[in-house]
Amino acid sequence: MKETIGDLIRRLREERSLTEEEYARLIEERTPEAAEALQDLAVTVRRRIYGDEVFFRGLIEISNICKNDCLYCGLRRSNRALRRYRLSGEEIVSSAEEGFRLGFRTFVLQGGEDAFYTDEALGDIVREIKRRCPGCAVTLSMGERSRESYQALFVAGADRYLLRHETADKAHYARLHPPEMSWEHRMHCLRELRDIGYQVGCGFMVGSPGQTARELAKDLKFIEEFKPDMCGIGPFIPHHETPFRREPAGSVELTCYLLSLIRLIRPPVLLPATTALGTIHPQGRELGILAGANVVMPNLSPVGVRKQYELYDNKICTGEESAQCLRCLDLRMREIGYRLTVGRGDVRPDT
Ligand code: SAH
Ligand code: SF4
């Protein structure tokens, strides 16, 4: 007899592995009841490892200049309407220092693929942050670079690297990117990062144009096999200056369902409730935590540039000071029975 969705969910919790077909069934045949049962399991699993703690990372958006032309992204080079900026080394380091004073112990430097940040320049910035903010972890999210570059930045002190795989399906990748970008290279970069010794994060958008349960099932299988330390997933949100301007956004419901599945596949994974989730729903980040996420990423960028880091339309938290962002998230977490915890927030062993 065919297993029910409930059976599949229970087996996933035990074995942390299903076939691609089974993952696709879990997505296609999901019901509100199944989602609730899944969410309960995900929260139990997360509590066992992380209790009621939610880690917070300071996101510093260092540049909106990008040589790439990803079809979904507002920073793509073809978007001529965007006013471009890049932060100087000193601006980046002082944003981190401000965060350090507020209690942040992890900084995520994210930006477009901007050649201005050579290995030397970026390495100096990483070293300086580590010098002025003792005990902190530095995460980079600066796209695809050479192995030598990743190596040099690791030696400079970077601890973690976020590079969403975007989709584990090659044909779908080709729909989302221009021909000069390759899925193989993206995957190659992820393996290099792992090899070098970084804590590595992959991830994908939910509801990107052309995505079906098949593609999502491949993403889940990839996560099962790659075993990332972190996994960034959030809804796709259209940007008005991209070819996908008229495509619908991904849903809160499916994003939360996938967050719960990922928690069961990989219990210790560091899983953010993303800003994109908070953008499509006023309580999106809370819903993400309640589905099994355990990380939030308040914005630490200088307020003057936040609106220009426009990956998608209507991005939230672009007007507040960093301290306000932190306080707001702290309150939101308390309201749902969780607490922000000070520390580097490293991945914990599965207990
Ligand atoms: N340039 C780097 C980091 C910046 S983009 C890189 O591409 O890795 C960070 C992430 O934002 C991307 O990985 C992508 O998944 C997400 N993103 C871009 N455009 C988006 C959109 N329109 N909706 C939702 N997420 C988007
Ligand atoms: Fe550039 Fe990243 Fe946007 Fe692609 S997703 S255009 S690499 S900033």
Side-chain angles (χ1 to χ4, degrees), residues 144 173 177-187:
E144 297 174 28
Y173 188 92
H177 299 93
E180 72 270 14
M181 290 181 75
S182 106
W183 177 81
E184 282 86 358
H185 191 253
R186 193 87 181 167
M187 291 300 190

Side-chain angles (χ1 to χ4, degrees), residues 63-77 111-113 142-144 166 177 181 186 309 311:
S63 167
N64 71 354
I65 298 173
C66 190
K67 72 170 170 54
N68 289 334
D69 218 18
C70 306
L71 272 71
Y72 45 84
C73 177
L75 307 191
R76 67 200 301 266
R77 64 164 187 265
E113 291 192 18
M142 299 293 295
E144 297 174 28
E166 309 297 358
H177 299 93
M181 290 181 75
R186 193 87 181 167
Y309 197 77
L311 301 170

Side-chain angles (χ1 to χ4, degrees), residues 1-291:
M1 212 177 70
K2 208 167 150 191
E3 277 176 294
T4 65
I5 293 300
D7 293 337
L8 282 179
I9 291 172
R10 279 185 290 276
R11 186 148 64 78
L12 179 61
R13 186 192 51 178
E14 297 309 318
E15 298 175 5
R16 301 174 187 184
S17 168
L18 293 175
T19 64
E20 237 174 80
E21 290 69 31
E22 288 166 338
Y23 282 130
R25 268 195 71 202
L26 275 181
I27 295 163
E28 272 163 353
E29 298 172 32
R30 69 188 187 279
T31 59
E33 295 72 40
E36 214 182 302
L38 173 66
Q39 181 175 351
D40 286 349
L41 288 179
V43 167
T44 307
V45 164
R46 199 258 333 267
R47 275 191 190 280
R48 194 182 72 219
I49 304 172
Y50 294 105
D52 60 358
E53 293 179 291
V54 172
F55 299 133
F56 59 107
R57 327 280 198 207
L59 181 65
I60 308 177
E61 300 155 328
I62 73 173
S63 167
N64 71 354
I65 298 173
C66 190
K67 72 170 170 54
N68 289 334
D69 218 18
C70 306
L71 272 71
Y72 45 84
C73 177
L75 307 191
R76 67 200 301 266
R77 64 164 187 265
S78 303
N79 179 6
R80 307 251 183 289
L82 183 65
R83 193 148 47 90
R84 304 282 172 169
Y85 76 89
R86 60 166 68 102
L87 299 183
S88 68
E90 187 48 40
E91 285 173 307
I92 297 168
V93 177
S94 42
S95 300
E97 270 188 308
E98 187 195 346
F100 194 70
R101 279 192 295 275
L102 294 170
F104 286 85
R105 293 296 177 268
T106 299
F107 305 104
V108 182
L109 274 44
Q110 190 183 78
E113 291 192 18
D114 178 355
F116 174 80
Y117 298 97
T118 59
D119 300 341
E120 215 187 344
L122 202 49
D124 284 347
I125 293 167
V126 172
R127 265 187 289 270
E128 194 56 17
I129 292 178
K130 293 220 124 172
R131 195 177 70 76
R132 292 204 223 162
C133 308
C136 78
V138 172
T139 305
L140 297 176
S141 179
M142 299 293 295
E144 297 174 28
R145 300 172 76 103
S146 67
R147 180 174 179 116
E148 294 66 45
S149 170
Y150 289 147
Q151 180 71 49
L153 296 168
F154 187 70
V155 170
D159 304 89
R160 307 178 181 142
Y161 206 102
L162 295 176
L163 185 75
R164 290 185 175 186
H165 63 284
E166 309 297 358
T167 169
D169 182 89
K170 199 177 157 193
H172 187 224
Y173 188 92
R175 231 195 117 166
L176 301 178
H177 299 93
E180 72 270 14
M181 290 181 75
S182 106
W183 177 81
E184 282 86 358
H185 191 253
R186 193 87 181 167
M187 291 300 190
H188 175 75
C189 286
L190 278 169
R191 286 190 299 271
E192 301 271 42
L193 288 162
R194 157 76 52 83
D195 251 23
I196 290 168
Y198 282 96
Q199 294 171 41
V200 182
C202 64
F204 58 91
M205 290 175 289
V206 179
S208 57
Q211 184 186 62
T212 68
R214 287 267 131 222
E215 283 76 32
L216 287 170
K218 279 197 177 169
D219 289 319
L220 295 177
K221 195 68 193 171
F222 172 69
I223 289 164
E224 180 195 308
E225 289 171 353
F226 184 68
K227 301 187 170 37
D229 301 290
M230 307 164 282
C231 185
I233 77 159
F236 159 75
I237 304 175
H239 183 285
H240 62 281
E241 290 285 349
T242 66
F244 292 157
R245 62 178 70 85
R246 276 184 267 283
E247 299 288 337
S251 77
V252 182
E253 178 270 322
L254 182 54
T255 306
C256 288
Y257 189 78
L258 290 162
L259 284 170
S260 301
L261 283 176
I262 293 169
R263 176 62 64 200
L264 291 196
I265 293 170
R266 188 146 172 72
V269 73
L270 295 163
L271 200 56
T274 56
T275 306
L277 193 54
T279 297
I280 58 165
H281 188 289
Q283 267 86 46
R285 286 166 300 178
E286 290 90 322
L287 292 170
I289 297 294
L290 292 169

